[in-house]
């Protein structure tokens, strides 16, 4: 990934399926839906035969669908009087209602109205029709299984990002490649010292592997399992499937196993990243990338994030894989010792001849607080709790790679130790709820019901969308509130197409699909469709690449997206954009 690792992700205090067979089924279904949007049977009842035969991208729906019992609203760009809900199997109108509202949306510049069809609860396929405008893409109404494919697809996409192993056709379908980046890596600045750091995930559209974002990715997976264990199965067709361990834990372990290799065995410090000196050509497949790999120096942020996520793993795998749990705890304690012995912040900056992502930071205070909170929650040892209470401040609750204070807060608030500082816990809880309320207020003012301020459409804005939803779902655990869950659901609707561009932002899904992600395997292989299940960055009003500058200049923030492989500022992918969306869909699928 190009600039995201060098940029600060703004966050104001004011997102493949069970198997490649099912992927083919999803593609077939999508194709049939797309065909249905091009023509309507002459047997259509009560529907205009001209304008209404045409799909209008000004009718914005969740292109996957809605739960039968949930609130179901389409957002219409423009002012019209009434709408129809049409059964897509026979083109018969099943509901006619007036459109509501006249709302100016600051983020998109749209003036919108709303089609509320919540009373439709019968399972089936439908579309919205407006006589003067056209019809929407087709969507489903159904039970709690309607998001199973997309949720499993996002998790399966992490398997397809794995480094160091062959992706075979039994598990990867068409998206195969040989084992990659298996050679020993050179420790940068040493006298030709080499170590084995094979494994992990290709972080984004490039082939670098970085501890800081990998720790956040793994933490999201572990937290999703802790919150919604019934949402995750053992049958997403990865190599570890059918081992009686949920595949989400197998995937997290794959990432953590690599991180364990990144720890210096002598000091306990953790190397920041392993990459080549620069980015490979865009069409180069990972197993063809044979440039020398370099391990970059130890940093405070990498070591602290490592200590935090391995402490989490020690707790979560204790009764699942005791050997792995013990290894993680020992590694976490050793990393903490390094932090104690290196109290002065050790910053990572790219050397002048290294051009790959930096993931830099100017402070490690939030990372160390996260490590302390997780070690306290796992071990109950007073010294970690004391450090946390003394050094943690409730001032923003970041849930991204550069600010991990939200992870620290969650670890402490949900700690069941009798040694917890109740005053500190209540202080954090109150601040967390206040921010959740702010997100709800923001969503109420947004034309698309989204908890996003227009200034938050920056690099990786879809991460902001998913992380805000994650914050709201944690708040719901703290203070049961339907407004929190409804606002989180609206984030999912946005990612699945109910947005100003009618764009489904998850590859391989929806009617209007992302086809040209900034993702080397998707460009370098011979498969027409991109690797499925990847959440792309989304609208980015800072226009960080030349394509954005030339094609999107002057557009409203929420419209600053283009499906172009060269637009790394809007259309790249990242594991830590998938992981918070996996958490959100874990909530949606908890009754699967």
């Amino acid at each position: 990934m190009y600039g995201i690792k060098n940029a600060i992700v703004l966050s104001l205090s004011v997102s493949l399926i069970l198997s490649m067979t099912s992927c083919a089924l999803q593609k077939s279904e999508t194709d049939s839906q797309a065909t249905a949007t091009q023509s309507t049977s002459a047997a259509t009842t009560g529907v205009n035969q001209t304008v209404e035969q045409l799909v209008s991208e000004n009718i914005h729906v969740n292109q996957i669908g809605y739960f039968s019992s949930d609130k179901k609203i389409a957002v219409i760009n423009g002012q019209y009087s009434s709408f129809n809900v049409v059964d897509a199997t026979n083109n018969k109108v099943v509901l006619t209602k007036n459109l509501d509202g006249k709302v100016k949306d600051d983020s998109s510049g749209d003036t919108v109205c709303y089609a509320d069809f919540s009373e439709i609860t019968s399972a089936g396929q439908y579309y919205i029709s407006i006589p003067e405008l056209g019809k929407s893409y087709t969507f489903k109404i159904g039970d709690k299984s309607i998001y199973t494919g997309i949720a499993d697809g996002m998790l399966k996409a992490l398997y397809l990002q794995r480094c160091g192993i062959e992706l075979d056709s039994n598990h990867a379908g068409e998206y195969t490649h040989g084992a990659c980046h298996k050679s020993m890596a050179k420790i940068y600045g040493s006298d030709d010292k080499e170590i084995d750091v094979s494994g992990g995930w290709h972080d984004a559209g490039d082939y670098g592997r970085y501890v800081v974002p990998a720790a956040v990715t793994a933490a999201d997976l572990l937290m999703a399992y802790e919150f919604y264990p019934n949402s995750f199965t053992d049958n997403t067709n990865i190599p570890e499937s059918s081992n009686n361990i949920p595949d989400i834990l197998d995937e997290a372990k794959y990432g953590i196993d690599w991180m364990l290799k990144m720890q210096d065995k002598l000091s306990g410090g953790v190397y920041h990243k392993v990459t080549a000196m620069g980015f490979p050509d865009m069409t180069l497949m990972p197993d063809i990338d044979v440039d020398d790999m370099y391990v970059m120096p130890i940093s405070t942020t990498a070591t602290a994030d490592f200590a935090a996520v391995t402490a989490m793993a020690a707790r979560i795998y204790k009764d699942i894989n005791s050997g792995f749990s013990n290894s993680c705890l020992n590694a976490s304690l050793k990393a903490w010792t390094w932090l104690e012995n290196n109290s002065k912040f050790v910053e990572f900056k790219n050397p002048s001849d290294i051009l790959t992502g930096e993931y830099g930071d100017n402070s490690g205070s939030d990372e160390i607080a996260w490590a302390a909170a997780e070690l306290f929650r796992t071990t109950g040892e007073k010294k970690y709790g004391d450090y946390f209470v003394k050094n943690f401040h409730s001032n923003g609750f970041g849930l991204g790679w550069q600010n991990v204070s939200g992870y620290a807060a969650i670890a402490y608030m949900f700690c069941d130790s009798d040694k917890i500082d109740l005053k500190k816990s209540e202080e954090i809880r109150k601040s967390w709820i206040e921010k959740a309320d702010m997100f709800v207020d923001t969503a109420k003012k947004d034309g698309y019901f989204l908890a996003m301020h227009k200034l938050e459409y920056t690099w990786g804005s879809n991460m902001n969308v998913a992380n805000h939803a994650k914050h709201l779902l944690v708040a719901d655990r703290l203070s049961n509130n339907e407004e929190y869950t409804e606002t989180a659901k609206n984030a999912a609707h946005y990612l699945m197409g109910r947005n100003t561009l009618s764009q489904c932002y998850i590859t391989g899904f929806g009617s209007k699909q992302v086809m040209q992600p900034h993702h080397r395997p998707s460009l370098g292989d011979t498969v027409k469709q991109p690797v499925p299940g990847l959440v792309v960055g989304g609208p980015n009003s800072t226009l960080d690449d030349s394509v954005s500058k030339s094609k999107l200049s002057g557009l409203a923030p929420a419209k600053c997206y283009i499906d172009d492989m060269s637009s790394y500022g809007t259309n790249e992918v990242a594991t830590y954009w998938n992981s918070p969306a996996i958490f959100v869909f874990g909530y949606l699928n908890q009754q699967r």
Side-chain angles (χ1 to χ4, degrees):
M1 182 179 287
Y2 287 70
I4 184 64
K5 294 147 187 163
N6 302 315
I8 295 177
V9 178
L10 295 178
S11 180
L12 302 180
S13 292
V14 175
S15 204
L16 199 50
I17 32 237
L18 290 177
S19 69
M20 287 318 187
T21 299
S22 60
C23 180
L25 291 174
Q26 170 70 30
K27 181 179 183 297
S28 175
E29 177 181 323
T30 300
D31 289 345
S32 65
Q33 289 180 4
T35 300
T37 65
Q38 299 302 316
S39 62
T40 303
S41 167
T44 301
T45 302
V47 180
N48 184 288
Q49 292 287 298
T50 55
V51 173
E52 282 190 282
Q53 293 185 32
L54 303 176
V55 169
S56 171
E57 291 188 359
N58 285 319
I59 306 175
H60 310 295
V61 297
N62 177 335
Q63 295 163 25
I64 306 302
Y66 304 82
F67 292 149
S68 295
S69 60
D70 272 3
K71 185 181 294 186
K72 295 175 280 290
I73 298 177
V75 181
I76 318 300
N77 182 11
Q79 292 298 295
Y80 305 91
S81 59
S82 64
F83 73 95
N84 302 309
V85 179
V86 184
D87 187 327
T89 62
N90 56 24
N91 297 306
K92 291 185 178 180
V93 174
V94 297
L95 177 70
T96 298
K97 284 181 67 177
N98 290 331
L99 289 158
D100 300 319
K102 183 179 180 181
V103 176
K104 179 64 181 292
D105 177 53
D106 283 345
S107 295
S108 66
D110 298 342
T111 298
V112 301
C113 57
Y114 303 108
D116 188 337
F117 54 102
S118 300
E119 54 263 65
I120 303 296
T121 59
S122 297
Q125 295 194 55
Y126 302 87
Y127 59 86
I128 304 297
S129 174
I130 296 176
E132 313 94 313
L133 185 59
K135 65 178 182 178
S136 73
Y137 290 118
T138 304
F139 55 85
K140 285 183 178 180
I141 293 176
D143 60 19
K144 296 294 184 179
S145 68
I146 64 172
Y147 298 145
T148 296
I150 196 167
D152 289 346
M154 289 188 292
L155 180 59
K156 183 68 175 277
L158 296 181
Y159 159 74
L160 295 171
Q161 287 289 96
R162 286 188 187 184
C163 182
I165 64 168
E166 175 188 2
L167 300 190
D168 63 83
S169 60
N170 290 331
H171 302 102
E174 297 177 283
Y175 303 97
T176 60
H177 63 71
C180 58
H181 306 112
K182 293 279 288 183
S183 60
M184 301 287 279
K186 301 176 181 179
I187 296 182
Y188 186 90
S190 70
D191 295 330
D192 297 324
K193 182 179 178 182
E194 296 181 331
I195 58 174
D196 172 22
V197 288
S198 58
W201 300 298
H202 298 142
D203 170 68
D206 61 275
Y207 300 139
R209 288 160 289 153
Y210 308 79
V211 169
V212 168
V216 168
T217 301
D220 283 342
L221 301 183
L222 297 179
M223 192 165 70
Y225 175 77
E226 278 199 310
F227 272 62
Y228 312 114
N230 294 331
S231 294
F232 303 102
T233 69
D234 188 25
N235 60 2
T236 58
N237 190 30
I238 62 175
E240 298 85 358
S241 292
S242 302
N243 65 354
N244 296 316
I245 297 173
D247 287 347
I248 192 169
L249 294 184
D250 290 320
E251 198 59 57
K253 181 178 181 297
Y254 192 85
I256 295 168
D257 279 338
W258 168 75
M259 283 186 270
L260 291 170
K261 293 182 177 182
M262 291 291 284
Q263 184 175 42
D264 177 57
K265 301 305 181 283
L266 182 62
S267 69
V270 179
Y271 297 111
H272 196 78
K273 66 175 182 174
V274 56
T275 71
M277 299 185 79
F279 292 109
D281 291 341
M282 277 303 300
T283 58
L284 193 69
M285 289 296 286
D287 52 330
I288 308 301
D289 179 22
V290 294
D291 284 352
D292 289 340
M293 305 298 287
Y294 293 88
V295 177
M296 292 294 116
I298 291 168
S299 70
T300 295
T301 52
T303 304
D305 284 347
F306 172 94
V309 77
T310 49
M312 286 184 75
R315 177 176 72 251
I316 293 167
Y317 292 89
K318 183 178 180 180
D319 297 325
I320 297 171
N321 185 334
S322 60
F324 179 64
S325 170
N326 291 333
S327 295
C328 286
L329 182 56
N330 290 334
S332 180
L333 295 172
K334 196 167 186 177
W336 182 265
T337 298
W338 185 94
L339 294 168
E340 289 180 320
N341 294 337
N342 295 270
S343 57
K344 185 176 180 180
F345 179 61
V346 180
E347 184 178 10
F348 176 77
K349 287 286 188 182
N350 265 343
S352 60
D353 56 347
I354 299 296
L355 304 178
T356 54
E358 186 170 89
Y359 283 113
D361 208 332
N362 57 15
S363 169
S365 59
D366 52 313
E367 288 86 357
I368 300 172
W370 181 26
E374 295 290 0
L375 278 163
F376 178 61
R377 187 177 180 188
T378 295
T379 69
E381 289 191 25
K382 185 175 182 296
K383 73 172 185 176
Y384 303 118
D386 289 346
Y387 181 94
F388 177 86
V389 170
K390 182 179 179 180
N391 292 281
F392 182 80
H393 305 284
S394 305
N395 57 355
F397 301 123
L399 288 169
W401 65 263
Q402 193 162 46
N403 184 347
V404 296
S405 60
Y407 296 96
I410 292 167
Y412 198 77
M413 286 189 295
F414 289 93
C415 182
D416 58 5
S417 172
D418 57 4
K419 301 172 186 175
I420 196 169
D421 186 303
L422 295 177
K423 182 178 179 181
K424 188 69 171 181
S425 181
E426 181 56 28
E427 168 200 312
I428 297 169
R429 178 190 175 279
K430 181 180 178 182
S431 295
W432 193 279
I433 294 297
E434 288 175 353
K435 187 167 184 178
D437 291 339
M438 181 271 290
F439 284 143
V440 170
D441 289 342
T442 299
K444 287 179 178 178
K445 298 171 185 176
D446 185 85
Y448 289 84
F449 308 114
L450 192 63
M452 286 277 285
H453 188 277
K454 63 181 179 181
L455 296 180
E456 291 183 286
Y457 289 91
T458 57
W459 199 316
S461 64
N462 285 337
M463 178 190 71
N464 294 341
V465 170
N467 276 335
H468 294 353
K470 187 166 63 176
H471 185 107
L472 286 157
L473 293 172
V474 172
D476 182 62
R477 283 294 181 98
L478 298 170
S479 177
N480 187 23
N481 187 326
E482 187 177 353
E483 286 191 316
Y484 298 159
T485 55
E486 194 63 37
T487 307
K489 290 176 185 177
N490 286 333
H493 294 322
Y494 173 91
L495 293 174
M496 292 185 284
R498 199 183 71 182
N499 53 65
T500 183
L501 299 175
S502 284
Q503 179 69 63
C504 184
Y505 287 118
I506 303 161
T507 59
F509 291 91
S511 297
K512 185 178 179 181
Q513 297 189 1
V514 174
M515 294 300 296
Q516 293 290 322
H518 184 88
H519 180 242
R520 283 166 175 79
S522 292
L523 299 175
D525 63 19
T526 60
V527 186
K528 181 179 178 180
Q529 295 281 337
V531 172
L534 295 167
V535 179
V536 297
N540 176 11
S541 62
T542 58
L543 307 181
D544 291 291
D545 57 72
S546 61
V547 174
S548 297
K549 287 180 172 66
S550 65
K551 300 290 183 65
L552 305 175
S553 182
L555 295 182
K559 294 182 184 292
C560 289
Y561 168 82
I562 185 167
D563 184 12
D564 189 304
M565 67 180 182
S566 297
S567 181
Y568 49 83
T570 73
N571 216 29
E572 194 170 7
V573 303
T575 63
Y576 56 95
W577 297 344
N578 266 54
S579 59
I582 290 169
F583 181 94
V584 175
F585 279 79
Y587 164 75
L588 294 174
N589 282 321
Q590 58 189 322
Q591 299 301 320
R592 64 186 294 175

